[in-house]
Amino acid sequence: MQYRTLGRTGVQVSSLALGAMNFGRIGRTTQDEATALVDAALEGGINVIDTADAYSGGESEEMVGKAVAGRRDDIVLATKAYLPMGDERNHRGSSRRWLVTALDNSLRRLGVDHVDLYQIHRWDPATSDEETLSALTDLQRAGKIRYFGSSTFPAHRIVQAQWAAREHHLGRYVTEQPGYSILQRGIETHVLPVTEEYGLGVLAWSPLASGWLSGAIREGREVTTSRSAFMPERFDTAVPANRAKLDAVERLAEVADEAGLTMIQLALGFVTAHPAVTGALIGPRTLDHLRSQLAAADTVLSADVLDAIDTIVPPGTDLAPDEKHDTPPSLLDPALRRR
């Protein structure tokens, strides 16, 4: 396992981090299975566990808390807030009112008195940066969080938040958690240059592109991954973007074979090769999944392999732009771009 400094925090983190989105009903995992995954991840050198309040309605945090009991100090523990937690209209977002409550709820579910990294799951256009950063700064000073970061923020919002922190003399985001894979490289255009400029640590989610780069999805095979069961539209090869992904996967498989690598090693090695990326978040559902991903922990891709990847999916290219989560609202809602 490789270890890197998380931005400018001085905290040493593993280049692979364990994402716990599949803990609970989303991944249909039991507590025993979740604990076994945590045990194996720690044994394999992973020291970062990332979850969120919204994962399975808090069930993921509860499972993580039970799995790390008695060894909390050995783990860089991260969670998130912003997504709806029920039907109440104020039980979501990044207002001070909600973040104070949401963090207390997360700490209770995790069974801890603080988290190392507290992340705003998405940019909240209804809440000012000053409001959110002020609340996070107070929670940090209270000892409930050590650091705070953003997740899937557009580049211009990352910049704006840095300037708001400076202008109002508040704590700042020290990490960003964007989606990033060989098939979705758009963040190379704007987000990663910004995180480098401001010295943010980057924990990339979905490095296997929702299973497209796991080796399980190939031409002529029926797609039977767990993700395809509840997001079938993202795996229907009649959709042009999905067809483009499958075509790229076939060519990438040839590159992996020639290099003596698995598709997982190629995919994770690509993400962790970028100098702006601190680590890649893996989200295994089973021990077999985890072992196959841990096998990529020390993978270093040669320049020739990286060049070959660039010819298949050019730098800065998203093969499925409609699947991005950091698109400005005005591009999605016509009413926001009409007078």
Side-chain angles (χ1 to χ4, degrees), residues 9-80:
T9 67
V11 177
Q12 297 296 299
V13 296
S14 49
S15 59
L16 298 182
L18 180 64
M21 189 177 77
N22 279 321
F23 288 13
R25 64 175 177 266
I26 290 178
R28 304 185 304 279
T29 49
T30 65
Q31 181 63 60
D32 287 344
E33 290 169 330
T35 299
L37 285 167
V38 169
D39 290 345
L42 297 181
E43 185 177 344
I46 287 177
N47 72 342
V48 180
I49 299 178
D50 177 86
T51 183
D53 57 359
Y55 294 163
S56 296
E59 192 177 8
S60 173
E61 287 184 324
E62 292 175 353
M63 288 186 169
V64 168
K66 292 175 182 176
V68 304
R71 48 189 174 180
R72 193 270 170 258
D73 291 341
D74 299 330
I75 296 164
V76 178
L77 184 59
T79 192
K80 314 179 197 72

Side-chain angles (χ1 to χ4, degrees), residues 24-212:
R25 64 175 177 266
I26 290 178
R28 304 185 304 279
T29 49
T30 65
Q31 181 63 60
D32 287 344
E33 290 169 330
T35 299
L37 285 167
V38 169
D39 290 345
L42 297 181
E43 185 177 344
I46 287 177
N47 72 342
V48 180
I49 299 178
D50 177 86
T51 183
D53 57 359
Y55 294 163
S56 296
E59 192 177 8
S60 173
E61 287 184 324
E62 292 175 353
M63 288 186 169
V64 168
K66 292 175 182 176
V68 304
R71 48 189 174 180
R72 193 270 170 258
D73 291 341
D74 299 330
I75 296 164
V76 178
L77 184 59
T79 192
K80 314 179 197 72
Y82 165 77
L83 296 178
M85 291 295 287
D87 296 330
E88 216 302 312
R89 66 186 63 197
N90 286 311
H91 288 187
R92 66 194 70 192
S94 60
S95 68
R96 173 183 289 271
R97 183 181 189 273
W98 175 237
L99 289 180
V100 170
T101 300
L103 178 59
D104 281 344
N105 290 341
S106 288
L107 294 177
R108 173 179 48 78
R109 286 189 291 263
L110 288 163
V112 299
D113 61 4
H114 74 279
V115 292
D116 297 296
L117 179 62
Y118 197 49
Q119 300 153 106
I120 303 302
H121 214 147
R122 297 288 186 270
W123 168 54
D124 182 1
T127 307
S128 71
D129 289 311
E130 181 184 2
E131 165 87 0
T132 301
L133 292 170
S134 175
L136 292 170
T137 300
D138 287 346
L139 292 170
Q140 185 180 49
R141 290 171 177 166
K144 293 184 176 183
I145 58 179
R146 296 295 184 254
Y147 306 98
F148 47 90
S150 56
S151 176
T152 322
F153 274 32
H156 72 284
R157 296 311 314 177
I158 297 173
V159 173
Q160 183 61 32
Q162 294 292 313
W163 278 95
R166 182 178 300 181
E167 180 179 1
H168 299 290
H169 306 289
L170 298 168
R172 70 184 189 98
Y173 295 128
V174 298
T175 61
E176 162 61 13
Q177 189 178 124
Y180 184 43
S181 72
I182 295 175
L183 305 182
Q184 295 286 86
R185 300 183 61 174
I187 66 166
E188 294 172 346
T189 304
H190 299 296
V191 171
L192 293 184
V194 166
T195 60
E196 286 187 293
E197 176 71 22
Y198 288 97
L200 274 65
V202 172
L203 300 172
W205 57 267
S206 199
L208 299 182
S210 298
W212 279 95

Side-chain angles (χ1 to χ4, degrees), residues 308-327:
I309 291 171
D310 287 348
T311 65
I312 298 169
V313 183
T317 300
D318 287 315
L319 293 187
D322 290 345
E323 295 179 10
K324 291 181 67 62
H325 295 269
D326 61 354
T327 303

